[in-house]
Amino acid sequence: MTVPSVPSAAPAPVVIDHDTDPVQSDIPPMDPLALAAQWLPGDGEDRMLMTVSTVGLDGNPDARTTMLSDFDGRRFAFHTDANSQKAAELATNPAVALTILWPGFTRQLVVQGTAERSPRTESDIAYHRRSPYLQQLAWQNTPEFARLPLPDRRAKWEEFLTAHGGPDAPAFAAPSTWAGFSVTPHRLLFWVSNPAAASRRLAYTRSPDGWEMTVLPG
């Protein structure tokens, strides 16, 4: 999967034509992956944030916000520290839900699926497409660093940057703890706002024969 660079600014709210929007249509599309590709940013466009929900090690639900690195038409990818809590949770139970909310609350996509570790080559590509700040964060975002007083954190951040040639230096290699996850969906729910009528959702569930679609209230 190719992973475009980190967004430099928040994307503008989506302008929806409710007379032609697929979710509002009387003849909804039957391919949810094609609809997801239509909704999500393409190569070179700003990445989106999403909420990643997992099953905690104690059995309770857990959630945090991260970046949707890529959607290749089949799988949804995100990246994190291999030592993070979500990585430990996914190693124990790969069930995951991704919630993507568009600016202005115009659209929402919920993906339920199974996560698996991405090949290192894919993770390295994603790392080098990230901003310098996020590349450095992958090295220093550790429990030990987080526990330091703010002046010490600032000093160590600057020390690391200086040791690697400063802000204009070429990107350094990804740390060994850099990890990617690909989510293969088995259910997708698309929601679109509608100021002139009640909103609704389209739910697509994977079956042996393909995708089954159900219309749900918003």
Side-chain angles (χ1 to χ4, degrees):
M1 290 184 288
T2 57
V3 184
S5 60
V6 67
S8 57
V14 176
V15 178
I16 296 173
D17 182 346
H18 291 92
D19 291 333
T20 60
D21 184 86
V23 177
Q24 304 289 344
S25 173
D26 292 336
I27 307 176
M30 294 308 299
D31 184 352
L33 299 180
L35 180 55
Q38 178 183 330
W39 275 23
L40 293 169
D43 289 349
E45 296 181 323
D46 292 335
R47 300 295 87 191
M48 297 189 67
L49 296 177
M50 64 181 180
T51 299
V52 178
S53 301
T54 53
V55 180
L57 299 178
D58 59 0
N60 290 312
D62 197 6
R64 77 289 289 155
T65 300
T66 187
M67 185 183 297
L68 172 64
S69 297
D70 190 30
F71 172 63
D72 67 356
R74 297 182 299 113
R75 301 169 299 163
F76 299 78
F78 64 92
H79 294 80
T80 187
D81 189 323
N83 296 325
S84 67
Q85 180 171 321
K86 60 180 171 291
E89 292 168 348
L90 291 172
T92 301
N93 185 340
V96 65
L98 314 175
T99 304
I100 308 168
L101 184 62
W102 270 252
F105 307 111
T106 54
R107 287 174 173 167
Q108 178 178 265
L109 171 59
V110 179
V111 179
Q112 295 172 298
T114 303
E116 61 180 341
R117 284 286 292 268
S118 303
R120 182 69 192 196
T121 53
E122 290 186 3
S123 298
D124 283 345
I125 291 172
Y127 178 83
H128 287 295
R129 298 281 180 109
R130 298 245 165 161
S131 70
Y133 172 84
L134 290 179
Q135 289 182 9
Q136 183 172 344
L137 186 65
W139 280 92
Q140 294 191 275
N141 194 26
T142 64
E144 295 77 16
F145 191 94
R147 287 193 290 265
L148 294 173
L150 179 57
D152 292 345
R153 281 183 278 136
R154 287 175 170 166
K156 287 187 176 294
W157 186 271
E158 186 62 31
E159 289 172 6
F160 184 95
L161 190 60
T162 301
H164 287 81
D168 297 325
F172 31 83
S176 60
T177 55
W178 176 253
F181 289 88
S182 295
V183 177
T184 300
H186 59 74
R187 192 166 188 257
L188 300 97
L189 293 94
F190 297 83
W191 171 89
V192 169
S193 64
N194 192 333
S199 59
R200 72 173 183 176
R201 292 175 295 161
L202 298 183
Y204 296 84
T205 303
R206 193 189 296 270
S207 73
D209 299 323
W211 293 98
E212 297 178 355
M213 191 271 293
T214 305
V215 177
L216 300 173

mmCIF file of all heavy atoms in Angstrom, residues 106-127:
data_model
loop_
_atom_site.group_PDB
_atom_site.id
_atom_site.type_symbol
_atom_site.label_atom_id
_atom_site.label_comp_id
_atom_site.label_asym_id
_atom_site.label_seq_id
_atom_site.Cartn_x
_atom_site.Cartn_y
_atom_site.Cartn_z
ATOM 1 N N THR A 106 -20.524 15.721 8.418
ATOM 2 C CA THR A 106 -21.305 15.482 7.215
ATOM 3 C C THR A 106 -21.404 14.005 6.876
ATOM 4 O O THR A 106 -22.395 13.551 6.306
ATOM 5 C CB THR A 106 -20.673 16.213 6.018
ATOM 6 O OG1 THR A 106 -19.289 15.825 5.926
ATOM 7 C CG2 THR A 106 -20.754 17.718 6.207
ATOM 8 N N ARG A 107 -20.342 13.270 7.224
ATOM 9 C CA ARG A 107 -20.306 11.846 6.918
ATOM 10 C C ARG A 107 -19.640 11.099 8.069
ATOM 11 O O ARG A 107 -18.823 11.658 8.797
ATOM 12 C CB ARG A 107 -19.498 11.564 5.645
ATOM 13 C CG ARG A 107 -20.158 11.951 4.348
ATOM 14 C CD ARG A 107 -19.192 11.745 3.193
ATOM 15 N NE ARG A 107 -19.831 11.950 1.896
ATOM 16 C CZ ARG A 107 -19.171 12.068 0.751
ATOM 17 N NH1 ARG A 107 -17.840 11.988 0.744
ATOM 18 N NH2 ARG A 107 -19.811 12.254 -0.378
ATOM 19 N N GLN A 108 -19.984 9.839 8.181
ATOM 20 C CA GLN A 108 -19.301 8.963 9.124
ATOM 21 C C GLN A 108 -19.212 7.569 8.511
ATOM 22 O O GLN A 108 -20.170 7.079 7.918
ATOM 23 C CB GLN A 108 -20.048 8.873 10.452
ATOM 24 C CG GLN A 108 -19.395 7.938 11.464
ATOM 25 C CD GLN A 108 -20.134 7.903 12.786
ATOM 26 O OE1 GLN A 108 -19.814 8.610 13.715
ATOM 27 N NE2 GLN A 108 -21.164 7.062 12.862
ATOM 28 N N LEU A 109 -18.047 6.965 8.658
ATOM 29 C CA LEU A 109 -17.830 5.596 8.198
ATOM 30 C C LEU A 109 -17.308 4.781 9.374
ATOM 31 O O LEU A 109 -16.308 5.157 9.992
ATOM 32 C CB LEU A 109 -16.822 5.567 7.053
ATOM 33 C CG LEU A 109 -16.316 4.184 6.605
ATOM 34 C CD1 LEU A 109 -17.463 3.306 6.152
ATOM 35 C CD2 LEU A 109 -15.268 4.333 5.501
ATOM 36 N N VAL A 110 -17.992 3.689 9.694
ATOM 37 C CA VAL A 110 -17.560 2.775 10.742
ATOM 38 C C VAL A 110 -17.176 1.458 10.075
ATOM 39 O O VAL A 110 -17.969 0.886 9.321
ATOM 40 C CB VAL A 110 -18.655 2.540 11.793
ATOM 41 C CG1 VAL A 110 -18.176 1.553 12.856
ATOM 42 C CG2 VAL A 110 -19.057 3.858 12.445
ATOM 43 N N VAL A 111 -15.970 1.007 10.357
ATOM 44 C CA VAL A 111 -15.448 -0.231 9.781
ATOM 45 C C VAL A 111 -15.215 -1.223 10.912
ATOM 46 O O VAL A 111 -14.500 -0.926 11.865
ATOM 47 C CB VAL A 111 -14.120 0.027 9.040
ATOM 48 C CG1 VAL A 111 -13.568 -1.276 8.463
ATOM 49 C CG2 VAL A 111 -14.303 1.080 7.953
ATOM 50 N N GLN A 112 -15.819 -2.380 10.811
ATOM 51 C CA GLN A 112 -15.553 -3.469 11.752
ATOM 52 C C GLN A 112 -14.798 -4.556 10.997
ATOM 53 O O GLN A 112 -15.193 -4.940 9.894
ATOM 54 C CB GLN A 112 -16.860 -4.037 12.318
ATOM 55 C CG GLN A 112 -17.630 -3.041 13.173
ATOM 56 C CD GLN A 112 -18.999 -3.573 13.540
ATOM 57 O OE1 GLN A 112 -19.832 -3.824 12.686
ATOM 58 N NE2 GLN A 112 -19.215 -3.765 14.822
ATOM 59 N N GLY A 113 -13.703 -5.023 11.592
ATOM 60 C CA GLY A 113 -12.916 -6.010 10.877
ATOM 61 C C GLY A 113 -11.870 -6.676 11.744
ATOM 62 O O GLY A 113 -11.929 -6.635 12.974
ATOM 63 N N THR A 114 -10.907 -7.286 11.068
ATOM 64 C CA THR A 114 -9.830 -8.023 11.722
ATOM 65 C C THR A 114 -8.504 -7.400 11.322
ATOM 66 O O THR A 114 -8.249 -7.177 10.134
ATOM 67 C CB THR A 114 -9.855 -9.501 11.307
ATOM 68 O OG1 THR A 114 -11.137 -10.055 11.624
ATOM 69 C CG2 THR A 114 -8.777 -10.288 12.024
ATOM 70 N N ALA A 115 -7.664 -7.126 12.321
ATOM 71 C CA ALA A 115 -6.369 -6.487 12.076
ATOM 72 C C ALA A 115 -5.249 -7.524 12.034
ATOM 73 O O ALA A 115 -5.273 -8.515 12.767
ATOM 74 C CB ALA A 115 -6.083 -5.451 13.158
ATOM 75 N N GLU A 116 -4.272 -7.278 11.178
ATOM 76 C CA GLU A 116 -3.066 -8.095 11.146
ATOM 77 C C GLU A 116 -1.875 -7.188 10.876
ATOM 78 O O GLU A 116 -2.020 -6.117 10.266
ATOM 79 C CB GLU A 116 -3.159 -9.192 10.088
ATOM 80 C CG GLU A 116 -3.316 -8.690 8.668
ATOM 81 C CD GLU A 116 -3.389 -9.837 7.672
ATOM 82 O OE1 GLU A 116 -2.974 -10.948 8.028
ATOM 83 O OE2 GLU A 116 -3.836 -9.597 6.534
ATOM 84 N N ARG A 117 -0.707 -7.609 11.347
ATOM 85 C CA ARG A 117 0.492 -6.804 11.164
ATOM 86 C C ARG A 117 0.843 -6.697 9.679
ATOM 87 O O ARG A 117 0.773 -7.679 8.934
ATOM 88 C CB ARG A 117 1.661 -7.421 11.934
ATOM 89 C CG ARG A 117 1.625 -7.195 13.425
ATOM 90 C CD ARG A 117 1.992 -5.776 13.815
ATOM 91 N NE ARG A 117 3.392 -5.486 13.551
ATOM 92 C CZ ARG A 117 4.368 -5.650 14.441
ATOM 93 N NH1 ARG A 117 4.100 -6.131 15.657
ATOM 94 N NH2 ARG A 117 5.601 -5.349 14.141
ATOM 95 N N SER A 118 1.240 -5.513 9.280
ATOM 96 C CA SER A 118 1.661 -5.270 7.901
ATOM 97 C C SER A 118 3.119 -5.667 7.715
ATOM 98 O O SER A 118 3.904 -5.637 8.667
ATOM 99 C CB SER A 118 1.496 -3.784 7.566
ATOM 100 O OG SER A 118 0.172 -3.350 7.755
ATOM 101 N N PRO A 119 3.524 -6.003 6.493
ATOM 102 C CA PRO A 119 4.942 -6.271 6.230
ATOM 103 C C PRO A 119 5.793 -5.051 6.543
ATOM 104 O O PRO A 119 5.340 -3.909 6.407
ATOM 105 C CB PRO A 119 4.969 -6.602 4.736
ATOM 106 C CG PRO A 119 3.569 -6.989 4.395
ATOM 107 C CD PRO A 119 2.687 -6.199 5.303
ATOM 108 N N ARG A 120 7.030 -5.288 6.958
ATOM 109 C CA ARG A 120 7.915 -4.186 7.320
ATOM 110 C C ARG A 120 8.130 -3.230 6.158
ATOM 111 O O ARG A 120 8.253 -2.013 6.351
ATOM 112 C CB ARG A 120 9.261 -4.757 7.798
ATOM 113 C CG ARG A 120 10.252 -3.688 8.244
ATOM 114 C CD ARG A 120 9.807 -3.026 9.523
ATOM 115 N NE ARG A 120 10.591 -1.816 9.788
ATOM 116 C CZ ARG A 120 10.625 -1.211 10.969
ATOM 117 N NH1 ARG A 120 9.935 -1.699 11.978
ATOM 118 N NH2 ARG A 120 11.338 -0.127 11.150
ATOM 119 N N THR A 121 8.173 -3.740 4.945
ATOM 120 C CA THR A 121 8.385 -2.860 3.794
ATOM 121 C C THR A 121 7.269 -1.833 3.673
ATOM 122 O O THR A 121 7.520 -0.658 3.386
ATOM 123 C CB THR A 121 8.475 -3.687 2.502
ATOM 124 O OG1 THR A 121 7.320 -4.553 2.407
ATOM 125 C CG2 THR A 121 9.733 -4.527 2.477
ATOM 126 N N GLU A 122 6.022 -2.249 3.911
ATOM 127 C CA GLU A 122 4.900 -1.324 3.863
ATOM 128 C C GLU A 122 4.989 -0.305 4.992
ATOM 129 O O GLU A 122 4.719 0.893 4.802
ATOM 130 C CB GLU A 122 3.576 -2.074 3.931
ATOM 131 C CG GLU A 122 3.247 -2.882 2.690
ATOM 132 C CD GLU A 122 1.856 -3.495 2.762
ATOM 133 O OE1 GLU A 122 1.149 -3.246 3.753
ATOM 134 O OE2 GLU A 122 1.496 -4.216 1.822
ATOM 135 N N SER A 123 5.375 -0.758 6.180
ATOM 136 C CA SER A 123 5.476 0.150 7.320
ATOM 137 C C SER A 123 6.561 1.193 7.097
ATOM 138 O O SER A 123 6.402 2.357 7.470
ATOM 139 C CB SER A 123 5.758 -0.647 8.600
ATOM 140 O OG SER A 123 4.701 -1.536 8.878
ATOM 141 N N ASP A 124 7.679 0.781 6.493
ATOM 142 C CA ASP A 124 8.767 1.721 6.225
ATOM 143 C C ASP A 124 8.327 2.789 5.230
ATOM 144 O O ASP A 124 8.685 3.970 5.364
ATOM 145 C CB ASP A 124 9.990 0.986 5.691
ATOM 146 C CG ASP A 124 10.748 0.260 6.795
ATOM 147 O OD1 ASP A 124 10.494 0.548 7.980
ATOM 148 O OD2 ASP A 124 11.592 -0.599 6.475
ATOM 149 N N ILE A 125 7.563 2.391 4.221
ATOM 150 C CA ILE A 125 7.047 3.370 3.254
ATOM 151 C C ILE A 125 6.169 4.386 3.972
ATOM 152 O O ILE A 125 6.280 5.600 3.753
ATOM 153 C CB ILE A 125 6.267 2.663 2.137
ATOM 154 C CG1 ILE A 125 7.220 1.856 1.247
ATOM 155 C CG2 ILE A 125 5.501 3.679 1.287
ATOM 156 C CD1 ILE A 125 6.513 0.978 0.234
ATOM 157 N N ALA A 126 5.294 3.898 4.837
ATOM 158 C CA ALA A 126 4.412 4.793 5.574
ATOM 159 C C ALA A 126 5.216 5.745 6.458
ATOM 160 O O ALA A 126 4.895 6.934 6.576
ATOM 161 C CB ALA A 126 3.439 3.987 6.427
ATOM 162 N N TYR A 127 6.263 5.229 7.086
ATOM 163 C CA TYR A 127 7.077 6.059 7.985
ATOM 164 C C TYR A 127 7.723 7.207 7.214
ATOM 165 O O TYR A 127 7.685 8.364 7.657
ATOM 166 C CB TYR A 127 8.149 5.202 8.652
ATOM 167 C CG TYR A 127 9.070 5.983 9.553
ATOM 168 C CD1 TYR A 127 8.707 6.290 10.860
ATOM 169 C CD2 TYR A 127 10.309 6.428 9.098
ATOM 170 C CE1 TYR A 127 9.539 7.029 11.685
ATOM 171 C CE2 TYR A 127 11.152 7.158 9.916
ATOM 172 C CZ TYR A 127 10.764 7.454 11.213
ATOM 173 O OH TYR A 127 11.593 8.180 12.015
#
